[in-house]
Amino acid sequence: GGGSGGGDGGGGEGVEDGPWPRGALVEVREAVNPELRGQRGIIIEVRSAARRLYVIRLLRDGALKPIRQSSLRLLSELRAHRLTQDHKPSLESERRRIEDLGGEVEFPSGPGGPTRVAGIATSRSFGSLAARPYISAEPDIRVVGLDRRRDVFVVLASDGVWDILEDQLVVDLIWDQVSSVHDSRLSPGVVLAEAAEMILQTALEQGSLDNLTCMILLLSWPACEGE
């Protein structure tokens, strides 16, 4: 899997301004059922943005519960911001490019299978020379301005991660590990390596069958300490 994705922590982006994003970590503050109170979960669906109604997957037992925002507490401190788009043959712009070149996109015969071009499940790659020009090595280049007061880290990972884990969940898991480090004996490199390993392990446990790679670029170490 040659797809890459990015998520940067944005504490200044105002997570609570609009509907909370899918993948955000929340805690149940109020519930008729006392057993629900205090439980944590992940937003997997924004059922109604206007009514702030979400479907939450509880971490304790995996149960799905529709809960209003007023009954929840947001635990995500940073908003994930996607920087790239995976190059898959099913992507509309990639499909058009391939077909304009005389190629054909192969759709899966059953649910859940990957879309392919020339038998390969990605539309851009450094290898796959026999599939040129349908599989291109030309990258997308995008310039993103960074704000030192807002942007904390960038995550570079393969589609073995991004096809399984929501962007916001990845950011929350990393931030939970990085922001709570107060032991001066641990260098940033050690903490980031442990956080990257945790992301890979989480994707593996949730059923990823693709190759797994994760790198974390820390933009400002003091920002992770709340300074």
Side-chain angles (χ1 to χ4, degrees):
S4 64
D8 66 341
E13 291 189 352
V15 175
E16 299 191 41
D17 293 345
W20 296 342
R22 288 198 315 161
L25 181 65
V26 295
E27 183 178 88
V28 180
R29 293 189 304 113
E30 301 174 2
V32 175
N33 183 351
E35 292 186 0
L36 275 180
R37 293 192 204 114
Q39 285 206 47
R40 294 186 174 190
I42 301 295
I43 295 176
I44 65 167
E45 179 188 343
V46 181
R47 179 158 293 180
S48 172
R51 293 187 296 151
R52 297 293 198 267
L53 179 64
Y54 308 99
V55 176
I56 311 299
R57 177 183 288 120
L58 299 177
L59 298 182
R60 180 182 298 177
D61 58 8
L64 301 180
K65 301 288 184 181
I67 305 177
R68 292 185 181 275
Q69 183 170 305
S70 58
S71 298
L72 299 169
R73 182 166 69 93
L74 184 66
L75 300 179
S76 299
E77 297 182 31
L78 305 178
R79 181 188 288 274
H81 178 61
R82 177 162 282 268
L83 301 178
T84 64
Q85 193 169 36
D86 294 342
H87 291 130
K88 296 184 182 295
S90 56
L91 191 66
E92 179 62 24
S93 58
E94 290 295 277
R95 185 184 62 79
R96 283 200 310 268
R97 178 185 65 80
I98 292 165
E99 292 179 347
D100 287 347
L101 291 169
E104 182 180 352
V105 173
E106 307 156 15
F107 292 93
S109 56
T115 304
R116 300 176 181 272
V117 57
I120 300 171
T122 186
S123 57
R124 303 207 184 194
S125 169
F126 287 119
S128 309
L129 299 181
R132 297 284 189 265
Y134 313 126
I135 294 184
S136 171
E138 182 179 352
D140 284 333
I141 299 176
R142 180 183 174 196
V143 178
V144 179
L146 298 177
D147 187 337
R148 288 176 60 89
R149 298 165 299 177
R150 179 195 66 192
D151 300 315
V152 179
F153 55 82
V154 176
V155 184
L156 306 174
S158 64
D159 49 7
V161 172
W162 300 121
D163 285 351
I164 297 295
L165 304 181
E166 294 281 353
D167 295 5
Q168 187 63 48
L169 176 59
V170 170
V171 167
D172 286 342
L173 289 173
I174 294 172
W175 182 243
D176 183 61
Q177 183 117 343
V178 171
S179 65
S180 61
V181 172
H182 302 291
D183 190 341
S184 60
R185 294 173 298 176
L186 296 176
S187 69
V190 171
V191 175
L192 294 176
E194 291 178 350
E197 180 62 32
M198 177 182 59
I199 295 300
L200 302 184
Q201 187 60 38
T202 302
L204 192 62
E205 290 173 355
Q206 295 198 18
S208 179
L209 299 176
D210 209 336
N211 63 68
L212 293 166
T213 302
C214 180
M215 296 184 292
I216 304 167
L217 173 64
L218 189 65
L219 300 175
S220 176
W221 183 251
C224 293
E225 299 174 341
E227 297 181 4

